[in-house]
Amino acid sequence: MISSGGDKVWHIIASVSLVAAICTCVAAIRSARQVRLRSERSGESFETFFEHFSGEQISEHLCLVIYRYLQRLVIRDFPVRPTDDLTKVYGIGKYAGVGFLEAIDDLCDELGIEVPSNEELSSVVNELGSVRKVEDLVRLFSHLQRRASQM
């Protein structure tokens, strides 16, 4: 059977509508999870977050920039934990969230450091082992800042 152009248009509209509905459901579930997590983290703050790095030479400014950036990716006043998974909690690297390289670019801009080349970024990530958790991201940027200051 030969379909008309109108049938194809309706098929496309139906497909796009289905994808939009799925994305809306995923966003609603993610938002509900974030509200639940926020209530479970009552009493936690930036100070709690920064204490995690007290034994390391990581600046408070760096931690604050990353903390606020991650808060903007979720819900208002969300207590960020160093052990949070970047993908599961903040959507970094997920199809519906912020891409990993986009997050790197955003944070470099906010921190006033040059965006590393892909080779440099890969080298630092290999030194760290992985960048899956918030604490890994903080250490990655601490390393990038030290490299930038040595140049």
Side-chain angles (χ1 to χ4, degrees):
M1 178 168 128
I2 301 173
S3 64
S4 68
D7 288 344
K8 289 180 183 178
V9 170
W10 282 111
H11 199 273
I12 291 170
I13 290 172
S15 297
V16 169
S17 296
L18 179 61
V19 169
I22 291 169
C23 288
T24 300
C25 288
V26 168
I29 292 167
R30 188 168 169 226
S31 180
R33 181 174 184 261
Q34 291 167 353
V35 168
R36 181 183 50 79
L37 284 173
R38 180 177 61 189
S39 67
E40 289 174 2
R41 298 171 181 205
S42 179
E44 294 181 32
S45 64
F46 171 72
E47 288 73 24
T48 310
F49 177 83
F50 185 59
E51 283 176 18
H52 181 82
F53 301 99
S54 64
E56 302 175 51
Q57 292 183 333
I58 296 176
S59 76
E60 184 173 356
H61 174 72
L62 170 70
C63 286
L64 185 60
V65 168
I66 292 173
Y67 189 90
R68 288 183 177 160
Y69 176 79
L70 294 173
Q71 281 186 316
R72 288 193 308 267
L73 296 179
V74 289
I75 57 175
R76 190 169 171 248
D77 300 324
F78 186 81
V80 177
R81 286 184 177 165
T83 55
D84 283 343
D85 185 284
L86 292 168
T87 301
K88 291 178 184 173
V89 179
Y90 303 99
I92 294 177
K94 259 192 152 174
Y95 64 90
V98 175
F100 179 72
L101 294 177
E102 182 182 352
I104 298 296
D105 288 350
D106 292 344
L107 286 164
C108 282
D109 186 49
E110 290 189 35
L111 290 163
I113 61 175
E114 188 176 325
V115 176
S117 67
N118 287 340
E119 286 178 1
E120 181 182 8
L121 186 59
S122 292
S123 170
V124 175
V125 169
N126 286 337
E127 284 179 41
L128 295 172
S130 70
V131 180
R132 292 191 180 120
K133 296 182 178 185
V134 172
E135 62 190 349
D136 301 329
L137 187 65
V138 170
R139 291 183 181 113
L140 169 72
F141 273 94
S142 178
H143 196 89
L144 291 174
Q145 274 189 325
R146 281 194 302 277
R147 276 191 174 188
S149 69
Q150 293 171 354
M151 295 181 141

